[in-house]
Amino acid sequence: MTHCSKQAVTVNTTNRCNLRCEYCMASSGSEQDNPITIELAFAKKGIFDAIKGVPTGIKATTLRFFSHGEPTQEMDIIKECVEYARSLNPTIRLELQTNGLFQTTEDTEWIAKNFTAVWFSLDGPKEVNDKYRPDPDGYGRTSEIEENLKFVQKYTFAGIRSTIVEETMDKQDLLVDYYHNLGVKNICLNPLIKQIVRNESGNTEVTKDDIMLFSQYFLKAYKRGDAIGVTVLSSLTFNFDEKTAVACRSCLPMPQLNPDSSVSSVM
Ligand code: SF4
């Protein structure tokens, strides 16, 4: 299915996070001093409008939890939103994008048993992931995240979103094998976009890895996935797995409800 055909409403729960990924665009130290969490009444109003198709007539059939931080830091909000969405549409699909470091074993169970799809962010084996995605005290948490992944995939669809860093740029095919050994059948490999910084003139700069270099090794990974029965995607290819006249979802009524009570479009 093309990405633009997915009718989704997204709740960006909070910008609080329990990791401090080196390249995170969202959770810089200053963001964590005053984290914002979405107001439940605002989230519910957005969910109601999206599921009922107000005012566009286009009804959301998926409720996604994403974030500028880690959505599962606010499990009570997630549960309330899910309950409300189910009261409006009992068959609504539920998707979660997470760093996989859940707060309690009860949360892990609830997530496994309620979500239709859970996408885990992981950058590869311990030696790579721990380096780029430490917790606030600088410790690597990869082993716990892998345990949570194994548990969740016993109950529901679990995929991996992996940011390609220097160490894995030319090893994307090996990453596919690594995730395959963890039992994963759907992998999304994305080029690294570094933290947005201000240069000396006060302008913001976005630093991206070389897309052609990324693509060259992505293709190898894609073929490796094909050979072993693993779907390998990238955020760069999402929308193009069938014929479409729509480039992205930004102009479609698929609202993203943000912690600061703003509504934005989603890619
Ligand atoms: S888990 Fe996500 S939000 Fe949290 S620090 Fe890492 S990249 Fe940022």
Side-chain angles (χ1 to χ4, degrees), residues 2-267:
T2 51
H3 208 41
C4 60
S5 310
K6 192 158 126 185
Q7 307 294 343
V9 51
T10 301
V11 177
N12 281 332
T13 319
T14 179
N15 60 8
R16 178 181 292 112
C17 192
N18 50 352
L19 290 184
R20 295 289 183 276
C21 303
E22 186 182 288
Y23 50 73
C24 178
M25 288 188 290
S27 294
S28 61
S30 56
E31 287 283 330
Q32 295 305 312
D33 286 345
N34 296 299
I36 319 173
T37 293
I38 200 163
E39 278 183 27
L40 189 58
F42 167 71
K44 281 186 167 178
K45 173 70 175 127
I47 290 169
F48 178 89
D49 285 352
I51 291 179
K52 293 291 180 189
V54 179
T56 61
I58 297 175
K59 296 180 178 177
T61 51
T62 296
L63 171 61
R64 286 198 324 156
F65 294 89
F66 214 135
S67 222
H68 310 92
E70 168 51 30
T72 64
Q73 289 287 287
E74 297 292 346
M75 280 304 292
D76 288 348
I77 299 238
I78 289 181
K79 287 178 183 175
E80 293 247 22
C81 289
V82 166
E83 193 185 345
Y84 183 61
R86 280 179 172 155
S87 74
L88 301 170
N89 174 0
T91 61
I92 192 143
R93 289 187 75 256
L94 298 169
E95 267 191 35
L96 172 66
Q97 171 66 50
T98 176
N99 64 24
L101 189 60
F102 307 132
Q103 298 186 77
T104 63
T105 48
E106 287 76 27
D107 287 351
T108 313
E109 265 188 44
W110 195 91
I111 287 162
K113 292 179 181 171
N114 284 277
F115 277 96
T116 321
V118 183
W119 286 90
F120 284 74
S121 297
L122 202 62
D123 288 353
K126 198 173 167 47
E127 59 275 17
V128 178
N129 193 66
D130 281 353
K131 176 179 168 191
Y132 285 90
R133 301 178 66 83
D135 72 8
D137 297 318
Y139 294 113
R141 309 292 293 268
T142 307
S143 308
E144 288 156 79
I145 295 165
E146 286 184 2
E147 283 310 307
N148 288 339
L149 167 69
K150 283 180 196 161
F151 183 84
V152 167
Q153 63 189 351
K154 281 187 205 160
Y155 293 89
T156 192
F157 170 102
I160 294 281
R161 276 179 190 246
S162 198
T163 297
I164 300 304
V165 293
E166 200 184 330
E167 289 85 342
T168 52
M169 178 62 91
D170 60 351
K171 298 183 184 64
Q172 296 181 44
D173 54 340
L174 299 182
L175 271 186
V176 172
D177 284 334
Y178 169 70
Y179 294 132
H180 183 234
N181 287 336
L182 290 175
V184 177
K185 295 257 182 287
N186 289 271
I187 302 166
C188 180
L189 303 175
N190 296 322
L192 174 68
I193 300 175
K194 292 182 184 146
Q195 214 170 36
I196 298 170
V197 289
R198 285 199 184 279
N199 61 23
E200 283 168 4
S201 2
N203 298 321
T204 49
E205 278 182 4
V206 178
T207 323
K208 292 188 291 187
D209 271 330
D210 183 330
I211 294 297
M212 288 314 288
L213 191 66
F214 168 83
S215 310
Q216 183 187 331
Y217 292 109
F218 173 79
L219 230 101
K220 255 181 104 178
Y222 181 88
K223 287 178 183 164
R224 178 65 188 150
D226 211 27
I228 59 175
V230 171
T231 303
V232 179
L233 306 161
S234 167
S235 53
L236 304 173
T237 66
F238 268 165
N239 198 36
F240 305 106
D241 50 1
E242 64 182 18
K243 214 169 177 180
T244 178
V246 180
C248 79
R249 301 191 293 177
S250 294
C251 300
L252 304 174
M254 298 188 198
Q256 189 158 264
L257 312 168
N258 299 315
D260 64 357
S261 298
S262 64
V263 181
S264 53
S265 61
V266 65
M267 288 294 288

